[in-house]
Amino acid sequence: MKMKPLALFGGTFDPIHIGHLSVAWEASELLDAEVRLMPANVPPHRPPPTASATQRVDMLRAALRGQSRLAMDTRELERNGPSYTIDTLEELRREFGARPLVLLLGADAFAGLRSWHRWRELFNVTHIGVINRPGIEACIPVELERAVAARRTDDPAVIRTETAGKVIELSVTPFEVSATRIRELLAAGRDPRYLLPAGLFDDPELLAPYRAIPSP
């Protein structure tokens, strides 16, 4: 039986920008899936975010206003300690039963999957949607390719009929936007007007974590 997949798109979203939203939106269309953006609490593989959890949630809420295709899920922020993806997915599997889950990963993140906590167990609870941007190639390690070769599919219908275990490539529009660059621009007093969703400019407090503190 076909079921509408639930796709998960995680990250620090520090801040959420139009590159994040574009990827999530296109993945939703390609998979005919509900997509939830899941802000991470303490990412195991990178420095802590500049903005607090509450501030990032406020930015996400403003960014997602006015549409129904994308939603926010804050369960990782409610967990103490590092955010391990396998823990979140196992919780979602218990919650949603046989509904297909899809973990959305950039091609570079997918290439580094072997460094993830309990990475082989991911396929027991979720499909993986690998986000590919035309012209950008990621080198997949031989061991990882061997592990996923038999799991690959190019048919979104398979994702809707099986609970977990497949890998599908999703080609999306190239949109090179860097959260690091946006933080630099804001710290320099500049206005990255068309790199961020319009809702983030409605309240000056939303972007305050990245603004330079004026000298006394």
Side-chain angles (χ1 to χ4, degrees):
M1 183 177 66
K2 292 184 178 181
M3 299 178 67
K4 193 179 187 70
L6 173 61
L8 296 314
F9 186 36
T12 52
F13 305 122
D14 188 33
I16 181 74
H17 57 63
I18 58 171
H20 298 133
L21 296 172
S22 175
V23 165
W25 189 272
E26 290 196 40
S28 176
E29 290 184 321
L30 291 168
L31 296 171
D32 187 24
E34 174 191 351
V35 173
R36 293 189 183 183
L37 284 78
M38 304 186 72
N41 186 11
V42 182
H45 301 293
R46 57 195 306 178
T50 300
S52 69
T54 299
Q55 290 168 327
R56 288 181 290 130
V57 166
D58 288 344
M59 285 186 279
L60 270 164
R61 187 174 291 114
L64 297 175
R65 193 177 297 131
Q67 56 78 48
S68 59
R69 184 182 291 274
L70 309 179
M72 176 172 53
D73 190 314
T74 61
R75 71 184 65 218
E76 289 199 345
L77 297 178
E78 297 157 10
R79 185 182 301 136
N80 293 324
S83 297
Y84 288 115
T85 302
I86 185 64
D87 297 330
T88 300
L89 288 165
E90 288 178 338
E91 180 181 327
L92 286 161
R93 175 56 62 214
R94 291 190 294 271
E95 183 177 336
F96 288 100
R99 184 178 181 182
L101 301 178
V102 186
L103 176 63
L104 300 176
L105 296 179
D108 52 348
F110 179 68
L113 195 66
R114 292 182 304 158
S115 68
W116 288 35
H117 182 58
R118 296 165 56 199
W119 72 273
R120 291 185 182 274
E121 297 175 44
L122 292 172
F123 300 105
N124 297 332
V125 289
T126 188
H127 302 298
I128 294 182
V130 182
I131 304 296
N132 280 324
R133 296 174 175 85
I136 300 176
E137 297 291 333
C139 182
I140 306 298
V142 172
E143 180 186 351
L144 178 59
E145 184 54 43
R146 287 174 180 161
V148 304
R151 301 181 181 277
R152 290 190 178 275
T153 182
D154 57 5
D155 184 0
V158 172
I159 303 298
R160 292 191 287 274
T161 56
E162 298 190 24
T163 300
K166 297 297 184 182
V167 175
I168 187 169
E169 305 273 342
L170 303 172
S171 182
V172 301
T173 306
F175 219 142
E176 292 306 308
V177 182
S178 163
T180 300
R181 179 59 176 158
I182 290 171
R183 292 194 298 269
E184 291 172 350
L185 291 171
L186 289 166
R190 294 177 58 185
D191 185 4
R193 174 69 52 171
Y194 297 108
L195 300 178
L196 296 169
L200 268 62
F201 295 96
D202 292 342
D203 180 354
E205 289 301 312
L206 290 173
L207 294 174
Y210 311 110
R211 301 286 190 187
I213 300 174
S215 300

